[in-house]
Amino acid sequence: MTKGFVIAIDGPAGAGKSTIARKAAAALGFAYIDTGAMYRSVTWKLLQTGKPFSEELAGKLAGEIRISFRPEGNRNRVFVDETEVTEDIRSAAVTKLVSRVAAVPAVREAMVDQQRRMGREGNVVLDGRDIGTVVFPDSPCKIYLTASVEERARRRGKELEEKGQAVDYKALQAEIAARDKQDMERAVSPLKQADDAIYLDTSDMSIDEVTGAILRLAGERRPKA
Ligand code: DC
């Protein structure tokens, strides 16, 4: 049973989920849990050990890790134990390995457990791949957020260019498509739209338009006191 109202936002990489989820949570005064950041944190911790990837090691670390979020302005700071990992979990090395880590059943069990515990405490927005299907299947407010591969690569490329990095757009599209495939075809909790989720293609929508659509839906679905 949950005490509060859970908004579940799922969708593929680069659809803008975290930006939208953070904005919607701030507008509503809800907590925001970036579940992708949690799988990235486990991956970061694994890389820190200097040992090669194994399911056993990933599962062990996921069982021990303490992840916390601290929203600050338009950022959601992420901490593993006492170390800030906000930037490090977005590194190319973490991004490359995270889909494998997220496919390990023991990792998913540990993360879903933590997500349910955090989500049960009050009103919350969670974004990820399996929030509406597995983590909170009873949520009355589920959104499946997506955009074309071309548009997602364009958005991601723009972010990288703003950080001063050179961007190969074709390579970026291929990388996004490969991650979609891995996330959708894995055996445990694959990315898929929940039957009762609202499908939102954001290819031609601005961030404010998408946030507005989610806030309207939340207003309709929120149980009246
Ligand atoms: O949203 P993101 O790119 O930060 O997610 C990182 C990876 O974690 C992505 O490859 C899929 C995985 N993930 C998952 O399996 N389940 C979630 N609820 C969230 C993310």
Side-chain angles (χ1 to χ4, degrees), residues 35-36 39-40 90 98-99 102 108 128-130 179 183 186:
T35 66
Y39 292 97
R40 287 174 179 273
R90 308 282 156 199
V98 64
S99 288
R108 300 209 70 84
R129 304 292 189 286
D130 60 341
R179 207 134 74 87
D183 290 342
R186 69 175 176 227

Side-chain angles (χ1 to χ4, degrees), residues 5-225:
F5 181 54
V6 172
I7 300 178
I9 304 180
D10 289 303
K17 295 186 302 294
S18 40
T19 305
I20 304 295
R22 184 177 44 72
K23 281 187 160 258
L28 291 163
F30 284 21
Y32 164 47
I33 299 172
D34 176 350
T35 66
M38 297 175 71
Y39 292 97
R40 287 174 179 273
S41 295
V42 176
T43 308
W44 174 85
K45 197 162 175 167
L46 192 145
L47 290 169
Q48 288 293 107
T49 66
K51 295 182 184 156
F53 167 84
S54 75
E55 293 211 355
E56 199 188 346
L57 178 59
K60 177 178 169 292
L61 296 173
E64 295 167 358
I65 198 169
R66 284 187 302 129
I67 303 166
S68 55
F69 295 106
R70 221 177 285 165
E72 201 183 87
N74 62 1
R75 292 199 317 152
N76 191 32
R77 297 174 69 191
V78 187
F79 293 79
V80 168
D81 303 317
E82 299 310 317
T83 309
E84 174 154 23
V85 296
T86 314
E87 298 295 331
D88 291 356
I89 59 170
R90 308 282 156 199
S91 72
V94 168
T95 302
K96 192 154 176 264
L97 187 61
V98 64
S99 288
R100 282 179 81 189
V101 172
V104 176
V107 171
R108 300 209 70 84
E109 254 171 56
M111 292 301 105
V112 168
D113 200 51
Q114 285 203 21
Q115 288 154 19
R116 287 189 179 140
R117 261 188 283 132
M118 293 193 259
R120 245 181 236 130
E121 294 307 312
N123 295 323
V124 65
V125 180
L126 294 102
D127 81 324
R129 304 292 189 286
D130 60 341
I131 309 304
T133 51
V134 175
V135 186
F136 287 106
D138 296 335
S139 159
C141 188
K142 300 179 185 175
I143 299 106
Y144 189 84
L145 210 64
T146 189
S148 66
V149 172
E150 293 76 14
E151 175 60 18
R152 288 186 280 137
R154 198 190 61 76
R155 291 177 189 170
R156 178 81 187 118
K158 201 165 144 246
E159 268 174 25
L160 293 172
E161 280 174 348
E162 277 164 11
K163 288 186 190 164
Q165 298 181 26
V167 178
D168 175 344
Y169 279 90
K170 280 276 167 259
L172 206 51
Q173 278 188 23
E175 197 186 292
I176 289 176
R179 207 134 74 87
D180 285 357
K181 188 169 154 59
Q182 220 164 353
D183 290 342
M184 287 173 178
E185 292 182 358
R186 69 175 176 227
V188 202
S189 307
L191 167 64
K192 81 178 192 343
Q193 184 182 351
D195 293 338
D196 53 349
I198 301 293
Y199 180 90
L200 213 53
D201 183 331
T202 71
S203 300
D204 297 315
M205 290 172 84
S206 70
I207 291 172
D208 284 346
E209 285 171 335
V210 182
T211 311
I214 290 179
L215 293 176
R216 271 194 303 282
L217 182 71
E220 286 165 24
R221 298 287 169 90
R222 195 168 181 176
K224 303 288 173 272

